[in-house]
Amino acid sequence: MNACINHLLAMLILPGSNALSAFRTQRLLQQLHQIDGSIADISGRFLHFVDSSAPISEDDQKRLDGLLTYGEPFNASGEGEEFVVIPRFGTISPWASKATDIAHNCGMQHIRRIERGISYRIQMKTGLLGGEKTLSPEAIEQVQALLHDRMTE
């Protein structure tokens, strides 16, 4: 049990760039409106999960920030119902293999793995009385199915 606790203490989660192009956002919104017409918007942000065998130093943090800063900056609000999509447990994505190799080549041998996921946020329209509408349990299941690939995530 202690090994698991120590292992988890070295996990670092770093927010990243925008994960959705304008085209993909519009396509997802069209599909989401078929699930629930009260959905107003969707945003997606990459999350980076850094598994390390030792605490991350300030220098390591700066190097990781440099390595994991890419693409279009994320500018959307962090509000709305969150859906986090990550690779299936027990698998290592090709992205993770390459990112981990790069970290090792930058002198961070204690990094076991860097994996990437996406945090999706669904924003709902407000109701007549100003309260935000919510997704039904059935709609939540349909949104989950839309946002991830059952075979790999």
Side-chain angles (χ1 to χ4, degrees), residues 7 10 15 27 29 44 50 69 80 101 121 132 139 147:
H7 181 74
R27 195 180 86 200
L29 268 177
V50 181
T69 300
D101 287 346
R121 293 281 183 164
E132 189 174 283
L147 295 178

Side-chain angles (χ1 to χ4, degrees), residues 1-9:
M1 179 72 172
N2 281 341
C4 289
I5 291 172
N6 289 336
H7 181 74
L8 291 176
L9 290 177

Side-chain angles (χ1 to χ4, degrees), residues 9 11 18 21 29 54 73-74 82 85 89 100-101 119-120 143 151:
L9 290 177
M11 179 68 70
N18 188 12
S21 67
L29 268 177
F74 181 77
E82 183 177 31
V85 177
F89 290 111
T100 305
D101 287 346
S119 169
Y120 292 98
V143 169
M151 300 303 288

Side-chain angles (χ1 to χ4, degrees), residues 119-133:
S119 169
Y120 292 98
R121 293 281 183 164
I122 304 287
Q123 292 85 35
M124 302 295 289
K125 295 177 182 173
T126 55
L128 292 175
L129 301 176
E132 189 174 283
K133 296 182 179 184

Side-chain angles (χ1 to χ4, degrees), residues 108-124:
M108 294 181 282
Q109 297 299 321
H110 55 288
I111 301 292
R112 289 188 200 124
R113 181 172 164 194
I114 301 174
E115 188 56 85
R116 181 172 74 170
I118 300 176
S119 169
Y120 292 98
R121 293 281 183 164
I122 304 287
Q123 292 85 35
M124 302 295 289

Side-chain angles (χ1 to χ4, degrees), residues 45-58:
R45 180 178 207 166
F46 287 119
L47 296 177
H48 303 101
F49 302 90
V50 181
D51 182 20
S52 176
S53 62
I56 304 292
S57 70
E58 193 173 314

Side-chain angles (χ1 to χ4, degrees), residues 72-85:
E72 181 183 318
F74 181 77
N75 295 321
S77 82
E79 300 192 10
E81 187 142 1
E82 183 177 31
F83 296 84
V84 177
V85 177

